[in-house]
Amino acid sequence: MVGLPLHPAFMGLVSSIIEFHWVASVFSGMIFCKIVYELTGLISNLCFKGYTKFSSIEKVEWNNRGFSTFHAIIVAVASLYLLLVSDLFDEDSRDESIIYRASTLSDTILGISIGYFLSDLGMIIWNFPALGGLEYVLHHGLSLFSIILSLISGQGQVYILMVLFSESTTPFVNLRWHLDVAGLKSSNLYICNGIALFFGWLVARILLFIFFFYHMIIHFDECEENIPIGVLQLADGASSAGNDECILVLENCKGFDKNSF
C-alpha cells in the first residue's frame, strides 16, 4: 500500500507541536527546580533547627542541592526505565537504528534536564564562585550543548540517557554535604551513605562508562556519520563531573581505613 503524501500545513503543525513540547519540558524543569528549592528551604526551616543558623549563601547551597537531588532521582529512574524496561532501545524491537530512536518520554526527560542545567548554571553564575568554579560552568555548558543537540536532532538519545543515569550518584554526594554541614559527620548515616556512594559510583561512573564506550565502538560507523559531535562530547562532560565524586570516594576509603575497620 502506497502512503498518501502529507499536506505541508499538517507537517508544519506537527513540527510546531513537537517544538512546543520541547519548550514546555524545559520550562517545566525550571519550574520544578524553583518549587523544590522553595520547599527545601521551608521544610528545612521547620524540621532542622540548625538551618536558621546558616549564612545566606549556605542556605542557598542547601536549597540548591535539594533540587539537584530531585532532578537526579527523576532522570535516573526515567533513564533506567527507558534503557532497560521499555523496548525503545531494544536492538531487536524494530528495524530503525538505535542511534535514531526517541520517544515523547525521552524528549520530555531531556527537556527537563535542560531546564535543570539552565537553572543550576544561572545560580552558579549569580553566586560565583560560592556554588562552584569554572569547572562547573564548563560542565554545565557542555551538558546543555550536548543535550540540546540530541533533543533537536533526535539522535544519540541512548547515550545521553546513559550519562543522565550516572546522576544516580548525585543524591549520595548531596546527602554527604548536608550531613557534613549539619554536624553529623560522625553519624552511622554518614558512614552508610559513604559506602553507598562508593558502590554507586563504581556502577554508575565506572562500569556504566565502560559499557558506554563499548557501545559507541560497536556502533562507531553510525555514530561518526550521523550524531552531531556535541552529543558525543557529553562523555567528556560526564567525566569532569565525576572528578569531585572521585575525590569523595577516595576520602571515604581513607575514612573507613582510619575509623571503621
Side-chain angles (χ1 to χ4, degrees):
M1 182 177 179
V2 180
L4 297 176
L6 296 177
H7 193 278
F10 176 77
M11 295 299 295
L13 177 62
V14 172
S15 178
S16 298
I17 292 174
I18 293 175
E19 291 171 2
F20 174 79
H21 174 248
W22 292 346
V23 175
S25 298
V26 172
F27 276 101
S28 295
M30 298 175 74
I31 293 170
F32 286 147
C33 287
K34 175 61 176 177
I35 292 174
V36 176
Y37 180 90
E38 297 296 338
L39 285 176
T40 301
L42 178 62
I43 295 172
S44 299
N45 191 45
L46 294 174
C47 300
F48 177 53
K49 295 180 180 179
Y51 181 80
T52 57
K53 299 178 182 179
F54 290 162
S55 65
S56 58
I57 193 60
E58 285 178 329
K59 289 180 180 179
V60 168
E61 183 166 5
W62 181 283
N63 298 348
N64 175 273
R65 288 178 181 267
F67 73 72
S68 170
T69 296
F70 176 80
H71 165 261
I73 293 173
I74 293 298
V75 299
V77 171
S79 296
L80 187 66
Y81 169 78
L82 288 167
L83 292 170
L84 297 182
V85 179
S86 75
D87 63 351
L88 179 61
F89 298 110
D90 185 347
E91 296 274 9
D92 302 320
S93 64
R94 61 192 74 176
D95 295 332
E96 182 185 28
S97 169
I98 196 172
I99 304 301
Y100 288 111
R101 297 183 193 178
S103 69
T104 300
L105 178 57
S106 65
D107 282 354
T108 301
I109 295 302
L110 265 60
I112 289 174
S113 288
I114 292 170
Y116 159 74
F117 280 114
L118 284 173
S119 301
D120 202 36
L121 180 60
M123 291 194 68
I124 290 172
I125 294 175
W126 183 262
N127 297 281
F128 190 84
L131 298 182
L134 290 175
E135 69 277 7
Y136 284 89
V137 175
L138 177 62
H139 165 254
H140 279 39
L142 181 59
S143 296
L144 279 168
F145 179 63
S146 302
I147 297 174
I148 290 171
L149 280 180
S150 181
L151 178 63
I152 293 175
S153 69
Q155 299 174 25
Q157 291 196 9
V158 61
Y159 298 120
I160 299 295
L161 291 170
M162 286 185 194
V163 175
L164 288 177
F165 176 74
S166 69
E167 288 286 312
S168 57
T169 59
T170 298
F172 301 109
V173 175
N174 289 338
L175 180 57
R176 174 191 171 95
W177 183 89
H178 282 113
L179 292 172
D180 192 2
V181 172
L184 299 173
K185 196 169 183 177
S186 59
S187 65
N188 289 331
L189 178 58
Y190 187 90
I191 295 174
C192 292
N193 180 71
I195 296 173
L197 172 60
F198 173 79
F199 286 106
W201 184 81
L202 180 64
V203 173
R205 298 288 181 176
I206 300 298
L207 298 180
L208 176 61
F209 275 89
I210 291 174
F211 176 77
F212 177 95
F213 289 111
Y214 166 76
H215 196 278
M216 272 194 175
I217 290 172
I218 63 177
H219 292 86
F220 180 76
D221 292 340
E222 297 171 84
C223 292
E224 187 180 33
E225 294 176 4
N226 301 316
I227 301 181
I229 189 64
V231 175
L232 303 184
Q233 288 176 328
L234 188 56
D236 294 331
S239 299
S240 66
N243 289 338
D244 289 341
E245 293 186 13
C246 181
I247 294 172
L248 292 179
V249 169
L250 292 176
E251 288 179 355
N252 283 336
C253 293
K254 291 179 181 179
F256 297 149
D257 188 42
K258 291 179 181 178
N259 304 319
S260 305
F261 299 107

